[in-house]
Amino acid sequence: MPGTPAQEAAVREVVADAGKYQSDPDRFLPLHTADVEIVNFGGRRVAGREALGEAMRAALASPLADVVTAVEITGVRFPCEGVAVVAAVKRVHDAREEPDGGGPALPAASGQLTCLLVEEGDGAWRISLAQTTPTTS
């Protein structure tokens, strides 16, 4: 079931904005549903927008603030009304002064990002689920 060009543009914008605002919780968090689930690059699962905000603020107050990503969307599909699945490549740039930054090393320099977005009652598309799987080759 294809989405309309306007729906696809809106979904692409949300995912792009999530990448753009990865260091700005005030702009990043509203792009997600209240019950969002995120599995990050290191395999940590965070459930709920409030918990995501806490995890994000803790990361930004640590050397992880110097790890930034760039997202390249490779596909968007609409499996049913009000639902979009986005496939993307996430590239990681680790600018920490020490390679391990006092914490765990990154599992890879890139990963496959899959996002599930839903169109909520207010007409806005929001990320409901996102998982990044590190790629080793």
Side-chain angles (χ1 to χ4, degrees):
M1 164 182 263
T4 67
Q7 288 174 316
E8 183 168 340
V11 165
R12 285 178 175 273
E13 182 177 16
V14 170
V15 175
D17 283 350
K20 183 173 21 177
Y21 301 129
Q22 64 188 289
S23 298
D24 183 349
D26 293 334
R27 296 182 88 173
F28 180 82
L29 293 170
L31 300 171
H32 298 78
T33 61
D35 63 348
V36 66
E37 288 211 24
I38 302 287
V39 180
N40 73 10
F41 199 73
R44 179 181 178 198
R45 179 179 298 275
V46 178
R49 190 168 43 210
E50 186 174 318
L52 178 59
E54 291 170 11
M56 185 178 186
R57 287 179 180 91
L60 290 170
S62 78
L64 287 175
D66 294 325
V67 177
V68 295
T69 62
V71 174
E72 175 190 345
I73 297 171
T74 58
V76 177
R77 63 187 178 89
F78 296 85
C80 60
E81 186 69 30
V83 176
V85 177
V86 175
V89 175
K90 183 180 273 193
R91 290 181 177 69
V92 182
H93 177 70
D94 189 347
R96 294 178 290 183
E97 289 186 24
E98 298 177 31
D100 67 2
L106 297 177
S110 67
Q112 298 298 313
L113 171 64
T114 304
C115 296
L116 177 75
L117 286 83
V118 295
E119 187 175 24
E120 294 199 306
D122 63 359
W125 287 90
R126 290 189 178 85
I127 299 168
S128 178
L129 177 72
Q131 177 168 340
T132 305
T133 303
T135 51
T136 56
S137 55

